[in-house]
Amino acid sequence: MNVPASVPNWSVPDVFEPDGTEELPPELTSNADSSPASLTVESPGGSKQRDLGNGAAVSGSGPTAGGVERRVGKGSGAAKSTGTATAGNRTDVEPADLSTLLSVAVEAVGGSERDGQTAMAEAVDNAIASGEHLAVQAGTGTGKSLAYLVPAIRHAVTAHTTVVVSTATIALQRQLVDRDLPRLADALADSLGRRPTFAILKGRRNYLCLNRIHGNAPDEPDEGALFDAFAASSLEREVRRVHDWASDTETGDRDELVPGVSERAWRQVSVTGNECLGAHRCPVGSDCFAEQARNEAGRADIVVTNHALLAIDALDDRPVLPEHDMVVVDEAHDLVDRVTTAAGGELSGNAIKQAARKCGRAVEEEIADRLNEAGEGLEFVLGETEPGRLGEPSRQLAAALSGLRDAAAACVNALGPEQREDVESGSARKLALAPTQEIQDTAIRLLDAFEEPEQDRRDVIWISAENNRPPSLKVAPLGVGGLLRERLFGQRTTVLTSATLALGGSFDTLASQWGLPPQREARPATDTATAQEPTSDESEPSWVGLDVGSPFDYPRSGILYVARHLPKPGRDGLPDAYLDELTELVTAAGGRTLGLFSSMRAARQASEQLRERLSTPVLCQGEDSTSQLVDSFAKDPATSLFGTLSLWQGVDVPGQSLQLVVMDRIPFPRPDDPLASARQQAISARGGNGFITVAGTHAALLLAQGAGRLLRSAGDRGVIAILDPRLSTARYGGFLRASLPPFWNTESPDVVRGALRRLDEAAG
């Protein structure tokens, strides 16, 4: 086959250079030797932008070629412990400057200084000094954790304060606490005048409750175990193993129990914050793992937590995080979803009946039976109602909710406030009160929402019946921007960072969801999420958007292939043409493929079909634990791994085992997704582009996260293959492509298969 010109040459293992027949196009070669650190760019209005060095330029307003946006407005100004930082070991020694500390930190981890990392660290330091919020897009390989940790640690030590770092995933928490922070603490101790300290803090449910271990609280009856002797026996074995572990663990942290136990077993040995007796009343309060975690966090310079606990801290009038004046939100692309979940509510027949059984231990039987009957009534109504978003409630549903509200209120009143009682009675009362109060509050919230016209509601209500589970009634906020604006950005300096923040080439799409003001001059367009200029508000938080790029040379390391010749995806599984295309791509790559599918049905279909067509192994998500599947995939380059959502964001396989990432379709939310459709309609009603702002944002985030699986180290090369032709043909395709790294683009099947074959041959 004659390979067309302008095709990347991957036959050279060390560098990506053009040869005589495979020249890079002029637009790539003209910038090949340019360093973004030396660029001075112009804003859309033609004005020069100040270069920050390291490729970061600041403009007066609006998105820039340098990747920076400045927003105008009023500024706002059982832990895994590493030792404690008490007032006695605070130091008045002036720490070294940021540049020195960053150099020491990079050397300690065996790395090399990178322009993007330096630019990000300086921007975080500026945010600390000015109180101006910061959103930083830092591509894979930037070293962003060091870029925010070093200035955060310096601030915590010099200001005698605490900085909270929030993540979306357990994997990143472990990286920070087990690897990054210990090495930084050792490396920076001399330059700071003392060793900085850190702790990890989770929700109370994540820690073992010694009061329950010691038998001072009743066991929770398990719905499945009541009628299944095998399930009861299995549950008993798991609980017994936790009891044995309780005498050995120093933290009581569930994540340190290996292998883990089921959720139903953990419920028997833990409590939520509302179920807890309180350290002052609990007979083992002085040894409480959760209280120890809080105490350690209160003394630490850096506290690592998760988005869920950060949201609870913002929602609850009682703080659950220690006093702090700065928050770093890593994996910030997931913040809105995590806060939405924390701010939501749910009613199901099973949950209500379980609360009634708990109440039966502490109140008169007649009162508890009334709550049980209300749960059965709601369960019946939900079963007779079509799943989906609810506009107006039926007469039966309204009556069921009113009856549930009143029955829950009767139980709450009967349980009464805290009183003098023995520990076992107090524990039983608290275990009953917490879920019953939540049921009452959710029923009231739903009834109040139904009182308002649907177009004026701040909540979205729907009936969910997923995965063959009994139906439940759910409620979630239409948006969380107001909450974040008031309770997060309005109270402390916040840094938000991720490899994926600038969607469609702009930070505004996510900024609007966070409650931050958009750019001053809105330019409506069919492929942009900004549809109208917001009203001026002097109380608006001030923020800066900064894209520090990536050390990876995307145009010389990766190809974005869109299979424009294929038909549009349908609803009846993968078309034969998609399976044929996928077979040819994987064959050319010699395996080495991560297949990211929009549904498990599609992933299984592709796995079954390709196992019959290929001579190389194909693994499918669900056949083993995800971690085991990823490990097997990484160890054998000939193996392919197919799966769905968790693989879009959770796979880190550098090297020759992963050289092809295939996505079957643009990952839009389902058209019948209640929350997404409600948000889309609300934005459209205000004159915005609801489709791009909601569905487009969702798809752009997942596409960018999926594409981020390909290049994990500087030497990686490969192909991103999108089988969905709409990425090239649809009007919104430009917005989605602008959200991806700047790969070299092609729509030619011959070109991409030739490139994959050369990669396979070079890998041996």
Side-chain angles (χ1 to χ4, degrees):
M1 182 189 74
N2 293 324
V3 181
S6 301
V7 177
N9 176 7
W10 282 323
S11 59
V12 181
D14 297 323
V15 293
F16 184 24
E17 296 290 349
D19 62 18
T21 61
E22 297 179 332
E23 296 178 353
L24 290 171
E27 64 268 27
L28 299 184
T29 56
S30 62
N31 292 326
D33 297 324
S34 298
S35 170
S38 62
L39 293 178
T40 299
V41 295
E42 293 190 1
S43 67
S47 60
K48 295 284 185 180
Q49 297 176 7
R50 175 168 55 86
D51 179 37
L52 295 180
N54 310 305
V58 174
S59 66
S61 65
T64 74
V68 179
E69 304 172 19
R70 181 172 293 280
R71 299 294 181 258
V72 183
K74 184 177 179 180
S76 60
K80 175 168 286 188
S81 172
T82 64
T84 57
T86 64
N89 59 21
R90 294 287 188 190
T91 177
D92 294 326
V93 176
E94 182 66 25
D97 59 70
L98 177 65
S99 178
T100 300
L101 290 174
L102 187 60
S103 297
V104 171
V106 170
E107 183 179 356
V109 300
S112 58
E113 292 193 45
R114 303 158 188 166
D115 290 344
Q117 186 181 61
T118 302
M120 180 175 174
E122 291 173 351
V124 173
D125 202 45
N126 290 336
I128 293 170
S130 67
E132 190 173 46
H133 307 299
L134 174 67
V136 187
Q137 177 165 281
T140 305
T142 302
K144 64 180 168 63
S145 60
L146 260 63
Y148 64 71
L149 285 175
V150 171
I153 289 171
R154 186 178 189 275
H155 170 62
V157 170
T158 56
H160 299 180
T161 187
T162 296
V163 174
V164 168
V165 177
S166 179
T167 76
T169 61
I170 293 175
L172 181 54
Q173 284 183 29
R174 289 174 174 166
Q175 174 191 315
L176 293 174
V177 174
D178 296 340
R179 190 184 73 183
D180 294 345
L181 282 166
R183 290 195 287 186
L184 285 179
D186 291 337
L188 300 180
D190 291 341
S191 300
L192 290 172
R194 69 167 175 83
R195 189 179 192 275
T197 58
F198 58 92
I200 184 169
L201 185 62
K202 306 175 183 180
R204 188 173 291 269
R205 176 66 92 177
N206 291 278
Y207 299 100
L208 193 66
C209 174
L210 292 175
N211 188 46
R212 302 203 72 171
I213 288 291
H214 291 175
N216 295 324
D219 292 335
E220 297 186 27
D222 181 77
E223 185 76 15
L226 287 176
F227 308 103
D228 186 336
F230 178 80
S233 177
S234 174
L235 176 63
E236 184 180 345
R237 287 194 301 271
E238 286 189 305
V239 172
R240 189 183 306 119
R241 185 158 63 85
V242 177
H243 277 256
D244 294 339
W245 174 71
S247 60
D248 298 327
T249 179
E250 295 182 359
T251 65
D253 187 337
R254 181 181 182 179
D255 288 334
E256 295 182 9
L257 175 61
V258 180
V261 295
S262 64
E263 180 62 28
R264 59 179 189 162
W266 190 256
R267 283 200 307 266
Q268 302 285 352
V269 295
S270 63
V271 294
T272 65
N274 289 331
E275 293 170 340
C276 177
L277 268 179
H280 65 291
R281 294 194 62 209
C282 181
V284 287
S286 60
D287 297 321
C288 175
F289 292 123
E291 290 299 319
Q292 289 176 6
R294 287 173 59 92
N295 292 338
E296 293 289 354
R299 295 191 294 266
D301 297 310
I302 304 294
V303 173
V304 178
T305 189
N306 53 59
H307 293 352
L309 199 61
L310 184 70
I312 292 169
D313 187 68
L315 289 164
D316 204 325
D317 292 331
R318 299 169 298 174
V320 295
L321 294 173
E323 194 69 30
H324 56 286
D325 67 354
M326 179 185 174
V327 175
V328 177
V329 181
D330 202 342
E331 300 177 314
H333 59 274
D334 264 344
L335 180 63
V336 169
D337 285 346
R338 302 303 174 101
V339 175
T340 298
T341 299
E346 181 177 5
L347 292 175
S348 69
N350 285 341
I352 296 167
K353 288 183 282 187
Q354 189 173 60
R357 287 195 294 271
K358 293 179 180 179
C359 288
R361 301 192 185 101
V363 303
E364 294 180 9
E365 184 178 350
E366 181 180 350
I367 299 175
D369 286 347
R370 183 181 167 192
L371 179 60
N372 188 74
E373 292 168 2
E376 291 177 344
L378 179 65
E379 188 173 45
F380 175 79
V381 172
L382 294 180
E384 296 294 308
T385 307
E386 190 72 21
R389 184 151 58 102
L390 292 176
E392 298 299 324
S394 65
R395 182 174 57 83
Q396 293 85 352
L397 179 58
L401 285 173
S402 297
L404 178 61
R405 174 199 59 196
D406 296 342
C411 285
V412 169
N413 290 334
L415 289 166
E418 185 175 316
Q419 53 193 288
R420 291 183 177 275
E421 56 194 337
D422 60 67
V423 172
E424 188 168 351
S425 298
S427 297
R429 186 180 61 80
K430 289 285 284 187
L431 288 172
L433 182 61
T436 308
Q437 183 72 68
E438 185 175 345
I439 289 167
Q440 180 189 11
D441 292 344
T442 303
I444 292 172
R445 177 180 177 180
L446 289 163
L447 289 167
D448 288 347
F450 280 133
E451 289 291 323
E452 300 177 1
E454 187 175 3
Q455 65 271 19
D456 296 334
R457 288 180 195 160
R458 296 184 178 182
D459 279 332
V460 180
I461 304 168
W462 71 98
I463 296 176
S464 174
E466 300 174 352
N467 302 323
N468 297 319
R469 295 177 181 175
S472 63
L473 187 59
K474 294 187 176 182
V475 59
L478 187 62
V480 296
L483 169 68
L484 291 173
R485 180 171 173 157
E486 177 185 352
R487 305 301 292 269
L488 181 62
F489 301 114
Q491 297 187 14
R492 50 189 60 87
T493 303
T494 303
V495 173
L496 305 111
T497 186
S498 170
T500 310
L501 291 183
L503 302 180
S506 171
F507 289 89
D508 284 346
T509 306
L510 286 180
S512 64
Q513 296 183 10
W514 296 331
L516 294 174
Q519 63 190 41
R520 280 301 168 194
E521 295 181 13
R523 294 179 173 84
T526 58
D527 59 351
T528 178
T530 303
Q532 58 184 158
E533 184 172 349
T535 58
S536 178
D537 183 354
E538 292 184 357
S539 67
E540 290 179 346
S542 177
W543 67 282
V544 172
L546 175 68
D547 183 357
V548 299
S550 168
F552 298 159
D553 191 346
Y554 285 106
R556 290 173 171 261
S557 301
I559 286 179
L560 173 63
Y561 165 60
V562 181
R564 184 171 183 150
H565 62 284
L566 292 180
K568 293 179 182 179
R571 297 184 179 181
D572 300 323
L574 295 174
D576 289 341
Y578 279 46
L579 294 169
D580 294 341
E581 183 80 17
L582 183 58
T583 301
E584 293 175 356
L585 289 170
V586 177
T587 300
R592 312 177 194 277
T593 301
L594 177 65
L596 303 176
F597 296 86
S598 54
S599 69
M600 275 308 303
R601 175 188 176 189
R604 292 191 186 103
Q605 179 188 0
S607 300
E608 292 168 1
Q609 290 286 325
L610 264 67
R611 281 169 180 160
E612 298 177 359
R613 304 182 183 198
L614 298 174
S615 59
T616 53
V618 176
L619 305 176
C620 186
Q621 188 176 5
E623 295 173 345
D624 203 337
S625 69
T626 299
S627 60
Q628 185 60 49
L629 289 171
V630 172
D631 186 57
S632 300
F633 171 59
K635 288 179 178 177
D636 180 13
T639 295
S640 297
L641 173 60
F642 294 170
T644 184
L645 187 60
S646 63
L647 296 186
W648 287 70
Q649 298 177 300
V651 175
D652 184 6
V653 180
Q656 297 176 348
S657 289
L658 175 50
Q659 294 182 335
L660 171 62
V661 175
V662 180
M663 304 182 211
D664 68 327
R665 63 191 301 158
I666 298 172
F668 290 120
R670 290 168 51 104
D672 58 353
D673 181 286
L675 196 53
S677 62
R679 288 173 169 171
Q680 188 168 319
Q681 289 175 13
I683 291 169
S684 297
R686 296 195 298 268
N689 189 330
F691 173 76
I692 286 294
T693 305
V694 179
T697 296
H698 181 276
L701 276 173
L702 281 178
L703 280 174
Q705 289 291 310
R709 302 311 97 205
L710 181 66
L711 304 182
R712 306 303 296 176
S713 65
D716 289 350
R717 291 174 175 81
V719 171
I720 301 292
I722 311 293
L723 304 185
D724 190 337
R726 294 176 297 175
L727 192 64
S728 288
T729 60
R731 296 175 65 192
Y732 50 75
F735 173 81
L736 298 177
R737 288 195 303 273
S739 306
L740 297 173
F743 296 112
W744 191 87
N745 287 263
T746 185
E747 295 175 354
S748 168
D750 290 336
V751 168
V752 76
R753 288 198 292 267
L756 287 170
R757 279 192 289 268
R758 289 194 303 279
L759 269 178
D760 184 36
E761 292 168 2

